[in-house]
Structure formats: structure tokens, C-alpha cells
Amino acid sequence: MKRFIPDGEKFYFLTLTIMPFDFSDNLILNALREDIGSGDVTTRCSVPEDTRVHGHFIAKQNGVICGLPILEKVFGLLDSDVQVTLCAKEGQEVSPGMIVAQVSGRAWPVLSGERVALNFLQHLSGIATKTALLVEMVKGTQMKIADTRKTIPGMRALSKYAVRVGGGINHRMDLAGGVLIKDNHIRAAGGIIPAVVAARRTAPITLRIEVETETIQQVEDALQAGADIIMLDNMDMETMRKAVTIINGRAMTEASGNMEQKNLREVAATGVDFVSIGGLTNNIQPLDISLKFI
Amino acid sequence: MKRFIPDGEKFYFLTLTIMPFDFSDNLILNALREDIGSGDVTTRCSVPEDTRVHGHFIAKQNGVICGLPILEKVFGLLDSDVQVTLCAKEGQEVSPGMIVAQVSGRAWPVLSGERVALNFLQHLSGIATKTALLVEMVKGTQMKIADTRKTIPGMRALSKYAVRVGGGINHRMDLAGGVLIKDNHIRAAGGIIPAVVAARRTAPITLRIEVETETIQQVEDALQAGADIIMLDNMDMETMRKAVTIINGRAMTEASGNMEQKNLREVAATGVDFVSIGGLTNNIQPLDISLKFI
Amino acid sequence: MKRFIPDGEKFYFLTLTIMPFDFSDNLILNALREDIGSGDVTTRCSVPEDTRVHGHFIAKQNGVICGLPILEKVFGLLDSDVQVTLCAKEGQEVSPGMIVAQVSGRAWPVLSGERVALNFLQHLSGIATKTALLVEMVKGTQMKIADTRKTIPGMRALSKYAVRVGGGINHRMDLAGGVLIKDNHIRAAGGIIPAVVAARRTAPITLRIEVETETIQQVEDALQAGADIIMLDNMDMETMRKAVTIINGRAMTEASGNMEQKNLREVAATGVDFVSIGGLTNNIQPLDISLKFI
Amino acid sequence: MKRFIPDGEKFYFLTLTIMPFDFSDNLILNALREDIGSGDVTTRCSVPEDTRVHGHFIAKQNGVICGLPILEKVFGLLDSDVQVTLCAKEGQEVSPGMIVAQVSGRAWPVLSGERVALNFLQHLSGIATKTALLVEMVKGTQMKIADTRKTIPGMRALSKYAVRVGGGINHRMDLAGGVLIKDNHIRAAGGIIPAVVAARRTAPITLRIEVETETIQQVEDALQAGADIIMLDNMDMETMRKAVTIINGRAMTEASGNMEQKNLREVAATGVDFVSIGGLTNNIQPLDISLKFI
Amino acid sequence: MKRFIPDGEKFYFLTLTIMPFDFSDNLILNALREDIGSGDVTTRCSVPEDTRVHGHFIAKQNGVICGLPILEKVFGLLDSDVQVTLCAKEGQEVSPGMIVAQVSGRAWPVLSGERVALNFLQHLSGIATKTALLVEMVKGTQMKIADTRKTIPGMRALSKYAVRVGGGINHRMDLAGGVLIKDNHIRAAGGIIPAVVAARRTAPITLRIEVETETIQQVEDALQAGADIIMLDNMDMETMRKAVTIINGRAMTEASGNMEQKNLREVAATGVDFVSIGGLTNNIQPLDISLKFI
Amino acid sequence: MKRFIPDGEKFYFLTLTIMPFDFSDNLILNALREDIGSGDVTTRCSVPEDTRVHGHFIAKQNGVICGLPILEKVFGLLDSDVQVTLCAKEGQEVSPGMIVAQVSGRAWPVLSGERVALNFLQHLSGIATKTALLVEMVKGTQMKIADTRKTIPGMRALSKYAVRVGGGINHRMDLAGGVLIKDNHIRAAGGIIPAVVAARRTAPITLRIEVETETIQQVEDALQAGADIIMLDNMDMETMRKAVTIINGRAMTEASGNMEQKNLREVAATGVDFVSIGGLTNNIQPLDISLKFI
């Protein structure tokens, strides 16, 4: 059994959910409200109140499972007596037919929560699976796979969590979590150097400063300005290699620009520290998982 | 210029957004909070406060544009003085290079809202584009393309709106918006007939009653029970054809079960009224659109 | 002991309250905030903190009790250690002197929650009692008693729940829960037929379509358009009888228009399926119930 | 034309609504959400988007109108371009056929807001009408008509506002707005005198202290303890008269206990300062008002 | 061991926090969200998930401890398994080195909640300590020490609670909790007498009416108008003494106006009932308390 | 006229308030709700509704003004017609008698908002004034003055904004805005080096990593581990000087530990980059400012 994240690794985003009725709880509660509306008419009308059910969440494709703790939340929010038993570890590789979790309890909350539970589980597992695939592609190289802010509205924290479960790393969580000076900022500030100087003077001292570059000249400006991270945007392989050589460890390097469609091992060979890919979080095929009652 | 929805057609979900600070406004506000966090440090640190910008939202792929009214909301929530001009009509077919909207105003709100605007626009246009493709496939037949409740949490209303913009129709919005008696309900109720009877007696009188069937026997039970809609789930083409023949207009018919992977014209040829497809809303490639400043 | 709802019957609205801190919980929490404000000064100033009390909720009128599960919520939200024991069944007929529930625990939460508990219990029991009275009036006929959207703001779901506890049925919960084409819609759409056609094409497929009619001609148009339900609004008994005859089971029929002031058995004799009455939820005499400490 | 409140009189509760998106705005917004749900399907499906309407709010009964400013809020929240013109003054006596307000604008927001607008207007006018009737009964006496905390959950502030519009006065808004020592508090504190002493020492100095009494002995204790207000609860007329004589202006006096069923002029003749009546706010017949389009 | 509040005394504000997820819970939850943001990166990245800690909250200055119940809330909201043991009583005098509370549990929630816990505890203890100091100054006199509405936004209820823990009394909680007619109101109303008359007629009957006076003439007007409390604002000692003599117990008296800089025993000697001091709640040195892990 | 912040400088926190009804708007709205409660009884009862006022906000002490934009928000939220005119620039040095702002409009919103406006303005100006004083003390040295997370709950963003207005710099906004490895983390991770390694691997790549050190040995470990910032905690001047010499620009340096009580010029002489001081935000004397009506 392979697991994409080492057992000792910590998942700080999801574990925040220990704060009751906050964060991902609110997200899940909103998802339940969105799906249940003023009531699950069908279940309440046709299933006797004291009916009990037992069901299996079964994987129907190969992939990396992600979002299992959410199952406990979804049903727990509907009925604290529903029992969820996890049969797989978060981040584990699954195959068709594998039972990843079981649920037991009164039929009403289980049937009313089924769709929301699956919607989360399938989408997050889709992200983890895609990330794991790309991480596998560049295995043995120094290059890491990072996410972006191209996430589906509302799913930012969970999407970035799923990237980590799939073995990727996180770029900034939001606009307050890092300074990333792009071409528009550079133009407005009158060049890379004044932009970085302004940011150094004004931004919280705990944030790194990254600069987006498209040419070797810009890379040299960014180095001179003392950027902590230099983004190599839409460069061809040769330019990227040259940029990495010039930087020579004085800043971290990030490859960017439709990277999903590139040969990632070739990108890794340029020596960049990491590559960021929007499609990790905004172009996802859900992992096929179903809930079967027995 | 082709537009997938007739000009006179109404979009009741999106237009609900005329209620200030409610519904999709709250969704958009939450998306802005999620992305901006405690502040867009980069923009505020490196761009002078009085800088003004003018930008073009440009399509970079063929597809159906959806979500244009959201652009006005996103920037309007950040700064009521930002001007958004729509250059395409909601639901219009676009091609690479087409300007779909323009934005002008102070650089701060425009730069801070850019990512959220694009995240909505690309995802919704992806849904509309996929729907339009499937609608096109069954053109000339009686069969409609419908959505499901397999949506990404938080995006239910907008996703279903995008399906309509792409030419599809909506199944129930949530568990309160229709009675859909599935196998679990049937088993718990002791058969299709008692389940439908119970629902008729208890559910709000304004909701239709749909029954999921997998066999001809079940179809006959559903008919006898007086179901308004009969779902033909995972049937082969021959069984489905037979079922439609038996039903003979006494109930609406819905084809269901991994329909995205089927030959939809063949499904249409069975005579079913509509087909429902989860992938319309949970397996989406974003339409490539970018914001260029000039 | 008579109970207005059969024991096996389900209450899907109230039972939604199993979702913690949602729905009716929020309603109850808001009611507590509204009544307690920045603190129950009197209780905290004059009753020692460790005082314990035991009280009886006693009916002082004949009626149908409704809202008992709310008692547990009200006191549970204030102090999870307060014990509430229900002595009557929801929907049971009560008479003066009957103990319907008991409460035990620390004096502070019990005294602070008393008024809110009674405000809910008396109002909902008033609705259930009135509904039961009207249901009794038409006993033995085919005609059902239905509610409307004429509810006191904020009380929609609980009011409609109380109608069901009293033996009535529910019309649509809100404007999204059914299509009801009234005279204004008909005029704007250019007639009943185009209005129904438009609704059939655009509304979610799971909703029935109802048309309001005032004349036999309109009834015939509605039939031709394929309406699922036909409202017979403000018709005299003879016209109503004629309309029902013409419809002849091809659509459900609803009698409407100041029905509370009509002879309901005479209305039932026209053969209509149900009558809707605004006064079920907006013209309520609270059932007299008090909390006595012992 | 008679108006129950003098023109110069101030309505501090309703006018609080000048705070945008607060207080009664939130109440109204919640009422709109409750009634509209995920969308007014009927209106959006059958009325063309550019249709405009003009309507009259017409009284159909004699009564006191209350809640007119809410009309502006309801429609303003749905569409800032809808025009509401008030034709009556808040608190004015109306008669059948009188136009109390007009509304003009796009058909969509007007039709979607109609029910909520009427639900508020009818209920609040019902309260004001009932209050005015009781105020009229005791006209010429010293006795004022006051409300209680027996309000329908969520409607506290507006209900108490309506009482004032009808010519009544307000008892405490909530448990923080006054000290009212009842029998349970007295028993727990060991008597009226220790209870009042404790409250004097601990409660905010800006609150009056009221004591509930049922006997002449308790009245004397309350006087000795220095109560600011003495409630005469469930006393017969003779005891009440005697109590008022003993108090002799040293405290305000409140008559209480099923007062709605009493001869109020007889109560007034005892000399009490005011009478409090729960039925002012929890046993209300809505004033019949309708919206007619022309 | 001295405690500034008698053991039997009640704290109605803080004890409101028994209402789950309301009031100070919301305040504390917001403080946690404000401090934790999208996650405590440091703790989650560098401390193993199963690490457990045990810590002591230790006073490092002399003062009065206040806010201990908040410690239980802060950690309880993060993890219901964290154990908090209070070693001091709320309101107790502490000295350097004293352990006031202990905390045990998983390291993650304890480390993530530490700063918020200390921010509350130090600030509230600062208020209680300052209040106790001033109460001590006037010990043996009739004069009480009262707070004002000069509080730091968001901290009103807890600040006023801390004043009581320090032995002070509370002026009105908010603008709804008392009538205080100041010079601007007097001028607008055309004098003290018309202002008081208007307030008597319109304000809820449960509120006292206080008038601000600066001259003996105003004091006499306030008496004649029947004010319940008379504020003596910015008077010199002689005028204040004269005012108290004239009032002679017919109203309560409040000394006001930069009172923190006055000789409070001299103020007390004028005979005023209480003095109100803004600096009790808006000019606070936090009591030095730290959390040490062992 | 001196201004503590250059005119071109940007205030990214406050300017976030351009997002309508978000962020500091919510803070201000909550402060208004907290202070107004269910209504400003006094103003509504004694001031005629059409009274208009004009007032001056006047400084009564020397200091740095901060929070002026909040004045516009406070009154704007109560009544969009109230005019606020700023007479001083944010961050300007003021002296007794200076008019810093004027307000004109209806008396009701102005009187109801006065206290909240002053509570914000006085507290924030107190922070800016104290910061400016400390910045002045170290003028001409390389050392910057930074804030901490020791803020009053709810005031984090505005407090840190005020620090910047006073000429200070910001440390991390919250626990997500930077990695700061303290002694507890070090102990749990088994030393500085493994702790930094873990953080490098797991934290978002956009955050700097800071390590708290108390000895020269720890400084050397932090350097070796590649920390971006090294905190010199509670070191005597000699050790601090030695640490700075060893670090020699390879990391930023922060002096910490009861720094408010130190000779800051002596601290600066050690060569540290910045000093962090909790008292900047949690031990504040409000700047005396009053509102005078004319």
C-alpha cells in the first residue's frame, strides 16, 4: 500500500477544523444548507423515521483518496449519533472496489448527507490524484509541484489541502500571504527595483518578496533588488536554464506559464525549485466513488 | 454570431442578484474575502494609490461565455467607481482573441479583484461550453440535457444557471425542490407504490414525484402509482426504448447513469424526454480567458 | 386520548432541527437574543446562582399541542444541563390542567428561557388548534385543508409545520417551491396558454405548475395548457362545482378566496381537492399554556 | 382624518432603520430570503424581464395603518429603482377603499416582494388597530395601555413600535431593559425586601426596579423596599383600588393579569397608571390590505 | 487572601456565556479567527501532532485577576479535550509568582490559543485592578465608582463586567439601557423640563431618566422636572456640595468630568452617590501575566 | 505642520475598507450595534426629528491623529446624508484646540454616533501617538519600531494600521502570516535545525521563517538552519551586540523582551534591524479629543 504523504506529516489546514463550528465546518454547513434547502422532502416522506442503514463508500477508480475527515463532519453535523469508520488513510492510493469508509446510523441523516459527502470527497480526491500524478512524473528531481490562486470560489483552503495530500506544496494562501510583484505592479512602480524597495519598506516583515520575470534582464534586476523568490514566467527551456544559472541559489526559482502542457521532466532539468500549475485546482476530474447501502 | 440562449429567455437565478448583498453577492463577497484575506499587500505596497488602469477580458479558446454579470459585481463590491463594459452577450459563442468585457478604474480594486473575477468567469463558461456541446450533439431530437445535484459545494445556483445559459434544463435545485424516490427509499417504504402514496400524502402539493426505476417491472409499478416523472437508470438502450413505449406519455421520462460516456443520439432515439449528466457541473475544464491591461 | 397526526407520520420540517446550530436552532437562538438582550438583569441580580427549580408546562385551554421539541431546544441552548421531559405527544389534544412538559435545572437558564419557550409553544399550538378545528369541520369529505404564504415573517417553516401537526397539508414553502401563475403573470405573458408554455420550458422539471382561474373560460384554458393544479379563486359555489366537473380529475383543484369565512362543508361538496386558508397562519389566538414552578 | 399619534411624536424604533443593512433591514432581508428561497420561479418564467407595473396598496377594513416605511424597505432591497409613494401617514385611521401607498417599477421585484410587504403591513396594522381600540376605550382616564414581552419570536421591536403607533406605551424591550422582580425571584431571594436590595446593589443604575405583587401585604413590602414600579397582578378591582390608595404616588402602578378580558374603564377607575396586555402583540387579526395592479 | 467581590455576588454578564456559541463566545471566536487567520502555520509545521503540554498562567504583578472563565472558553473552542484548571477565584488579589490557572492538553490548540487567552486576561485584569484601586481610595465613604460608555469597540460587555469584578458599579450598558439627557438634548428640546416631560411620555417605562447639569439653576430645573438621577458635570467641589444639599435625596447624584484626575475622597465628601470615570475602561495598563510550559 | 507618514505612503489595511460592508465596516457596524442596542432612547425622545447640528472634533492634547476615515464611516453608516469634513491629514501632529474634523447633518445620527466615533478616534490616535514618540526616540538610527500580536481582541487590523500611521512597521498580522519558531516549538521539534527544516518543507513558500533565540549558541544554530529572521529575546546589550556581529547581515534581527522599559537608543546601538513592543497596542492612553456642537 502506497501513501502519498508520509505518516508523520502534518495537515495544518484540515486540522484547523478542530475549531468547532468554524472554518471547514462552516463550509460544510453551507454545503448542507445549499443541498438540503428547506428539507429533504423525499426521505422524510417515504422512509420511516426509525429506519437504520449501513453503507460503504467504495472507490471505483484508481487514485489518491482525500477528504475522509470531511465525511465525519458532514454526517456529524446532521446527527451526532451517525458512526463513520474510515477504512483508508488520508492520502492513500485506492483502487476499484476498495472500501474507503463506512457509515452507520439512522437513515434520515445518512440519506440527506450522502450527496454533499460525495461531492466533497470526489472533488478533493480528484485534486489529490492529479497532484500525485504530476509529482510522480518529476520523481527523483529537485523540482516541487506547487498550486496557485486559480481555485474554485469557496474551495481555496480545502483545495490547497488536497494539493498537499497529493504530495504538492502550497504557494501563498491569499493576497495577504505573500508579496508577488507582477508586470502590472512593476510598470506602475517604475521598474523592478523601486517596486521591491517599496514592498520591503511597507509589507509585514514576515513575508517573502517574489518578482515575476520574463527576460534575463528582469531576472538580473530582481536579483539586484534582493527578491526572495524569482518567478520565471513563460520562458522557453533555454532561457529558463540560463536564468537558473545566473540566480545560482541567491533566490528561490519558480517556473510558471501553462506548465500543465509542458514536459515537466524537461522543466525540472532546468534546475528550477518548483513549478506552479493552475490546473491542479481548477481543472479536475472527480474521482469516482459511490455510497452503497447493504 | 450564435447565442445559445434566445434573447427573450429569462435567467431567474442570476437575476436574483438584484437583491443587494444577498445570494450571489454573498457568494462573491466570500470569494473576495477568501482571496484577499487581510489585504492585497503587493498592490498596496508597490502601486501608487492614484494609478488608473484599463483592461480587456479576452477569450483565448472557442466556447460559450457565462458569468459576465459577475464581473460587474466583483469590481462593484470593491469600488463602486470601477467601470465594467460588457462586449459580449451572456451565452454568446466566443473565439480566441474576442474581447468579452472591459474594465476601467483605479488600479487597486481592479488588481485586487482580477483573480476572483477570472475564477468565476472561467469556471462558469466551462460549464456553459460543455453543456452547449452536448445540446448540439442531440440537436433536432426531442431530448433535453439536464443537470444533477453533483455540483461543487457552494456553486449550486451558479452552476445550474450556467447549464441553462449553455442551453440545458434544470433538475431540482435542492432536496426541497422535488420528490425523487430512489432505490433506498423504495426499499425502506416497502415498494414503489407505498412510497409514492406516502409522498403524495405528505409532500407539499406543488412538487412533482419522480421514481427511479431499473427494470420494466419497476416502470410499471411507477406508472400504476401515478409517478409524474420516471427515471430510467442504467438501462441498456433496448430496455429504455421498451420503457418509453410502455409509459407512452403518461409520465415524463429521464435517462440516467454515466450518460456522459454514452452515445447521446442513440439515447435520444429511445424517445426519453431528457437525460441527466453529473459531469455538466462536476467535471469542468475552465474556458481560457485572460485580463490584459493596455 | 386523541392525536391529530398518526404516530407513524413524519415531520420533515421540525426534524431538520437535528442539524446542530442551524435552521430552527438559529430561529430559537435569535429569539433568545431578542428577549435576553445584554442579560437577564433581574434573575442574575436577585436569584442565587445555585438555586434549582422544577416547573410544569400546563395547558389552560382545550387545543392541540405543537412545538414541544422547541422546549428542549430553548433550554438546551441556554444550559445543556437543564432537563426537559415531554409529557404529551406532539399533536395531541390537551385540556385545561394537563401537564404537557416538565423542566428541571438551574434557576437562571430556566427563568431566562421561560418567556421564549412559551411564546413559541403558545403560537404554534394556536396554529395547530385552529387547523385541527377546520380539519374536523370537513371530516369525512375528500377536501384537505392547506396553508398559504401568508405567514408572520420569520415563522414560515415552523408555521407550516404546525399546520401539518394540526392535520392540514402544505402548499409551496416559498416562491422557489412551486409555479403558481396568477392573474398578473397571465396578463404579462399574454394569456394562460403562453404563460404555462413558458413555465414548462424554463422552470425546474420537478415543480408542478398551478394556474389561478376566476372563470370557466380560464379553467378551460388552464386545462388545455396542461396545468397540474388549477386554483378556483373567489368563485361562487355553483361556478366552483361546474369547474370541478369540467376538470374531471385532469388536474388537482384548489379552492381559494376568503375561505375562512365560508361554509367549508359546502365548499367540500363542490368536489375540490383542497382549500387554502391564509388565516391558518396569520390570524392566530395563542393557546393558553403557563409554566408553574413547584 | 384622525391620526393616532401626534405629528411631532418620534418613533425611535423604526427610525433606527436608517442604519443601512441593520436592524429591521436584516429582519426584512430575512423575510425576503424566507419567502423567495432560491428564486421566484413563476415570475421569472412567465413575465418578460422588461415589464413594468403600477400598483395600489388598498385598505379593505377600518383600522390604523402601521408599517408603511417597511414597504419602501422591502422593494428597495429588491430593486433600488422601484418607487414607493406613501399616501397615508403612519398611524392614520384608514377605511375600506383608501389607497395607503403606491408602488411602480419593474414587474419582477414588485411581484417578488408583494407577499412579504403585505405580511408585514397587515400584521403591524393589526397590532396598531387593536391598540388604538383599547386606547379609545380608556380615553379620558389617566390609564395608559402598555405592551409585554409576549411577542411573536423575531417581531419584538416592530411589534412594540406598532403598539406605540396605535397610541400605547412600551414596557421593557427585553430582559436587559428593566428589572422586574416576579414571584419566583422573590421566593428565591427570601422576600421582596432582600430581592429589591440585591437588585439596587447590582443592576445598572439606569434601570427602574419593578416588583410583582398579588396582595396588599406585598404591596406594602414593595413600597418599603423602595420599588419604582409596583405591578398589581391578578387583583380584583377592590384590592387594586386599595393598593393604589396605599401607594399614593410613591411608585408607578401597573395592572396585569388577563386584562384583555376585563372592563378596562373599571380598571382605569382604580387609579392605576397603566395596564399591560399580552394580546396587544400575540393575538392579532391582520388588517385586510391588498395590492392591486392597474 | 482578599477578594474584591463577595463570594455570593452574581456576575450576570459573564455568566450569559453559558449560552453556547453566543455572546462572549462569539467575541472569543472572532478573536481566535482574527489571530489564527487561515492557520497557525508555525505550530502545525514544527510541532508533532501528538505532542502534549502542561502550562501555568502566572501573575507577574500585583493586581486583581479577571477573565478566568474566558480561558476555559478560548481553549474549549479550539479543542474540547484541553483541560483548564482555575487556581484563583475571579476577582481575587494576586501577586507575582502566583499560578492563576493551569492548562493541559494537545500542544496544537494550546499553542494556537495562548496569545488570545493572554490578550483577554491581561486587559480585563487591568480594568479590574484599576477599578479596585479607585474603590480602595474611597473606602468607607458612601461614594461608588461607576463606568461609562468610553470603552474600546467590541469590549463593552466584558469591560463593564471587569469593572464589577473590581468592585465598581455599572452605568447604562448602551443607549437603550437608560435615558441620559445631555446639554445638546436640553438645547434641542428647549430646556430641561420639556426634555424630561418628552422622555417620560415616550421612553419605555422601565428606564430611569437622568439629566446632566452644570449649574445650580439646572439642578433645580432637573429636580422640578422629576429626574431620577442628576449628573453634576464639571462642577467645582463647592458647587457640587451645594447641589447635593439642594437635591437632598430626591434624586440620585453622579459626579462627572475628568474625575480620574480629581482627589476622589474630596469628591466623596460632597455626598454624591457615585462618580463615573471613562479611564476605568479606556486607559488601561494590562496586568502582566504569562503562560509558562513545564 | 509635521506629518508622521510621508504623503505618498500607502495604508493598505484601512483602504481595504473600500470593500462595502466588509472588514472595518463590519467592525464599525458592530461597534454601533454594541453602543446603540435597541435604540438611542434619549435622542429619539427629546430631540425633534428635524433638528440639524454642526460640530467640531477638537484635539485637546498634543499627539498624532489617526482614524479620521473612520469618522466618515461611522456617520455614513447611520445616515448617508451626514457630512464629515476632515480638517487634518491622517498621521498629522495635532495640538490642543486644533479642529481635526467637522460633522454636519441631522441631529439624530450625529448624536447617536458621537461616542463610537470618539472611542475609535481616541484609541487609534493614542496608538499612533505612542508609536511616533518611540520612533522619534530612535531617529537617525537604523532601528525600526515594530508591533506584536499583543492587541486588544477585535482591534488587530486597525491597531496595526495605527502603528504604521505613527511611523512604525508591522510584524505578522496573524498566525498565518509568518513562521515564528519559539522555544516551545524548538523543544517539541528537537532543536532549532529540525524545526526550521520542517517549516521549510511544509509552510507556504511565500512566508519567511523566524527563530526566537536567547543565547549565542541558538543564534548560531538559527544561522546554520538558514532562518530568514532571528529574534534576540531578552538578551542583555552585550549579548545582543555580539549576536548582531555574528549574524552579520545573513538574517534580519529583531530585539524583543520588555523593550518598552529599555533605553531604545542603546538597543539601536547594538545594530539590530528592529525592535518589537507589545505596549504599542495593548497599553494605550487615549488621545483626548472631543466633539463640540456650535
Side-chain angles (χ1 to χ4, degrees), chain B residues 21 33 38 44 77-78 108, chain F residues 10 12 15 18 20-22:
Chain B
F21 306 101
R33 284 180 187 132
S38 57
R44 312 297 162 113
L77 283 168
L78 287 168
W108 282 16
Chain F
K10 293 130 224 122
Y12 55 89
T15 44
I18 56 168
F21 307 101
D22 203 15

Side-chain angles (χ1 to χ4, degrees), chain E residues 83 142 157 162 245 256 268:
Chain E
Q83 292 296 320
Q142 85 296 337
T245 308
S256 169

Side-chain angles (χ1 to χ4, degrees), chain B:
Chain B
M1 177 194 104
K2 181 175 177 184
R3 203 171 153 224
F4 278 77
I5 37 166
D7 272 290
E9 185 92 19
K10 295 128 221 124
F11 302 102
Y12 55 88
F13 293 121
L14 195 68
T15 44
L16 245 186
T17 65
I18 56 168
M19 190 191 300
F21 306 101
D22 203 15
F23 199 67
S24 66
D25 268 27
N26 267 330
L27 197 67
I28 296 170
L29 205 45
N30 281 337
L32 287 168
R33 284 180 187 132
E34 177 186 67
D35 191 46
I36 294 180
S38 57
D40 179 354
V41 180
T42 313
T43 299
R44 312 297 162 113
C45 290
S46 63
V47 179
E49 188 166 2
D50 55 359
T51 307
R52 298 185 67 80
V53 293
H54 180 72
H56 289 173
F57 284 90
I58 301 175
K60 305 176 79 170
Q61 279 186 306
N62 287 307
V64 174
I65 195 80
C66 177
L68 292 170
I70 290 178
L71 297 186
E72 295 172 293
K73 289 279 172 189
V74 165
F75 295 108
L77 283 168
L78 287 168
D79 181 351
S80 56
D81 291 334
V82 170
Q83 291 296 320
V84 173
T85 311
L86 304 186
C87 309
K89 284 199 168 178
E90 188 77 339
Q92 183 180 331
E93 200 169 316
V94 298
S95 51
M98 250 185 80
I99 298 174
V100 298
Q102 302 189 31
V103 59
S104 301
R106 296 197 309 107
W108 282 16
V110 175
L111 291 172
S112 297
E114 170 184 1
R115 184 76 265 140
V116 167
L118 286 170
N119 283 348
F120 275 113
L121 194 61
Q122 293 184 336
H123 185 68
L124 296 180
S125 297
I127 293 175
T129 299
K130 182 169 189 176
T131 306
L133 200 79
L134 299 185
V135 167
E136 190 67 24
M137 269 186 206
V138 298
K139 202 175 167 179
T141 77
Q142 85 297 336
M143 193 174 75
K144 299 274 192 294
I145 305 294
D147 53 31
T148 66
R149 284 169 40 244
K150 296 181 180 174
T151 55
I152 295 179
M155 297 293 288
R156 176 72 51 86
L158 289 179
S159 294
K160 285 185 168 258
Y161 163 74
V163 165
R164 283 188 40 68
V165 167
I169 63 171
N170 294 146
H171 208 288
R172 59 179 172 172
M173 279 298 293
D174 52 37
L175 290 167
V179 177
L180 173 39
I181 299 172
K182 298 197 171 185
D183 51 354
N184 293 307
H185 306 105
I186 293 168
R187 219 173 310 140
I192 285 177
I193 296 174
V196 173
V197 167
R200 281 248 180 268
R201 200 185 54 212
T202 323
I205 52 172
T206 49
L207 302 181
R208 285 197 176 126
I209 294 176
E210 178 171 8
V211 177
E212 182 184 287
T213 65
E214 298 190 345
T215 66
I216 293 299
Q217 179 58 51
Q218 288 185 312
V219 169
E220 283 169 345
D221 287 355
L223 270 178
Q224 186 188 336
D228 297 301
I229 312 175
I230 299 178
M231 179 195 286
L232 310 175
D233 194 42
N234 279 316
M235 290 184 180
D236 57 42
M237 290 304 106
E238 192 179 316
T239 311
M240 197 180 288
R241 204 175 302 116
K242 192 170 165 195
V244 173
T245 307
I246 290 169
I247 294 168
N248 192 23
R250 287 177 289 170
M252 293 180 71
T253 49
E254 169 180 355
S256 169
N258 296 316
M259 281 291 149
E260 198 172 353
Q261 293 140 40
K262 296 274 167 66
N263 178 335
L264 287 182
R265 292 198 73 87
E266 200 184 356
V267 176
T270 64
V272 292
D273 292 317
F274 64 96
V275 60
S276 61
I277 298 175
L280 279 194
T281 51
N282 78 352
N283 188 353
I284 292 303
Q285 176 175 351
L287 189 70
D288 197 358
I289 302 164
S290 70
L291 173 57
K292 287 290 163 204
F293 294 102
I294 52 181

Side-chain angles (χ1 to χ4, degrees), chain A residues 106-254:
Chain A
R106 296 197 307 107
W108 283 16
V110 174
L111 291 173
S112 296
E114 168 183 2
R115 185 74 265 139
V116 168
L118 286 171
N119 283 348
F120 274 113
L121 193 61
Q122 292 184 336
H123 185 68
L124 296 180
S125 297
I127 292 176
T129 299
K130 184 170 189 176
T131 305
L133 200 78
L134 299 185
V135 167
E136 189 68 22
M137 268 187 206
V138 298
K139 200 175 167 180
T141 76
Q142 85 296 338
M143 194 174 76
K144 299 273 193 295
I145 305 293
D147 53 31
T148 66
R149 283 169 39 242
K150 295 181 182 175
T151 55
I152 295 179
M155 297 293 287
R156 176 70 52 86
L158 288 179
S159 295
K160 286 187 168 255
Y161 163 74
V163 165
R164 282 187 42 68
V165 167
I169 62 171
N170 293 147
H171 207 287
R172 60 179 171 173
M173 280 298 292
D174 54 37
L175 290 166
V179 177
L180 171 40
I181 300 172
K182 298 196 170 186
D183 52 353
N184 293 306
H185 305 105
I186 293 168
R187 219 173 309 139
I192 285 176
I193 296 173
V196 173
V197 166
R200 282 246 179 270
R201 199 185 55 212
T202 323
I205 53 172
T206 50
L207 302 180
R208 285 197 176 126
I209 295 176
E210 177 171 9
V211 177
E212 181 184 288
T213 65
E214 298 190 344
T215 65
I216 294 298
Q217 179 58 50
Q218 287 184 313
V219 169
E220 283 169 346
D221 286 356
L223 271 178
Q224 185 187 339
D228 296 304
I229 311 176
I230 298 178
M231 179 195 285
L232 310 174
D233 194 42
N234 280 315
M235 289 183 181
D236 56 40
M237 291 303 108
E238 192 179 316
T239 311
M240 196 180 290
R241 206 175 301 117
K242 193 170 164 193
V244 173
T245 307
I246 289 169
I247 293 166
N248 192 23
R250 285 177 291 171
M252 293 180 70
T253 49
E254 169 180 355

Side-chain angles (χ1 to χ4, degrees), chain F residues 65-271:
Chain F
I65 195 80
C66 177
L68 292 170
I70 290 178
L71 297 187
E72 295 172 291
K73 289 279 172 189
V74 166
F75 295 108
L77 283 167
L78 287 168
D79 181 349
S80 56
D81 291 335
V82 170
Q83 291 296 320
V84 173
T85 311
L86 304 187
C87 309
K89 284 200 167 176
E90 188 77 340
Q92 183 179 330
E93 200 169 315
V94 298
S95 51
M98 249 184 81
I99 298 173
V100 297
Q102 303 189 32
V103 59
S104 302
R106 297 199 306 107
W108 283 15
V110 174
L111 291 172
S112 297
E114 170 184 359
R115 184 76 264 140
V116 167
L118 286 170
N119 283 347
F120 274 114
L121 194 61
Q122 293 184 336
H123 185 67
L124 295 180
S125 297
I127 293 176
T129 299
K130 182 169 188 176
T131 306
L133 199 78
L134 300 185
V135 166
E136 190 68 24
M137 269 186 205
V138 299
K139 202 176 168 180
T141 76
Q142 85 296 338
M143 193 174 76
K144 299 274 192 295
I145 305 294
D147 53 32
T148 66
R149 284 168 41 242
K150 295 181 182 175
T151 55
I152 295 179
M155 298 291 287
R156 175 72 51 88
L158 288 180
S159 294
K160 286 187 167 257
Y161 163 74
V163 165
R164 281 188 44 66
V165 167
I169 64 172
N170 294 145
H171 207 288
R172 59 179 172 173
M173 279 297 292
D174 53 38
L175 290 167
V179 176
L180 172 40
I181 300 172
K182 298 197 170 185
D183 51 353
N184 293 307
H185 306 103
I186 293 168
R187 219 173 310 139
I192 286 178
I193 296 174
V196 173
V197 167
R200 281 248 180 269
R201 199 185 58 213
T202 324
I205 53 173
T206 49
L207 301 181
R208 286 197 176 126
I209 294 175
E210 178 171 7
V211 177
E212 183 184 286
T213 64
E214 299 190 344
T215 64
I216 293 298
Q217 179 59 47
Q218 287 184 312
V219 169
E220 282 169 347
D221 286 356
L223 270 178
Q224 185 188 337
D228 296 304
I229 312 176
I230 298 177
M231 178 195 285
L232 311 174
D233 194 41
N234 280 316
M235 290 184 180
D236 56 42
M237 290 303 108
E238 192 180 317
T239 310
M240 197 180 289
R241 204 174 303 116
K242 192 170 165 195
V244 173
T245 306
I246 289 169
I247 294 167
N248 192 24
R250 286 178 289 170
M252 293 181 69
T253 50
E254 171 181 354
S256 169
N258 296 315
M259 282 291 149
E260 198 173 352
Q261 294 140 38
K262 297 275 166 65
N263 178 335
L264 287 182
R265 291 199 74 86
E266 198 184 357
V267 176
T270 65

Side-chain angles (χ1 to χ4, degrees), chain E residues 149 172-178, chain F residues 35-37 39-42 111-112:
Chain E
R149 283 169 42 243
R172 60 182 170 171
M173 279 299 291
D174 52 37
L175 289 167
Chain F
D35 192 46
I36 294 180
D40 179 355
V41 181
T42 312
L111 291 172
S112 297

Side-chain angles (χ1 to χ4, degrees), chain D residues 221-263:
Chain D
D221 287 356
L223 270 178
Q224 185 187 337
D228 297 304
I229 311 175
I230 298 177
M231 179 195 285
L232 310 174
D233 194 41
N234 280 314
M235 290 184 181
D236 56 41
M237 290 303 106
E238 191 178 317
T239 312
M240 197 180 289
R241 205 175 303 116
K242 190 168 168 198
V244 173
T245 307
I246 290 169
I247 294 167
N248 191 25
R250 286 177 291 170
M252 294 181 69
T253 50
E254 170 180 354
S256 169
N258 298 315
M259 282 291 149
E260 199 172 353
Q261 293 140 38
K262 297 274 166 66
N263 178 337

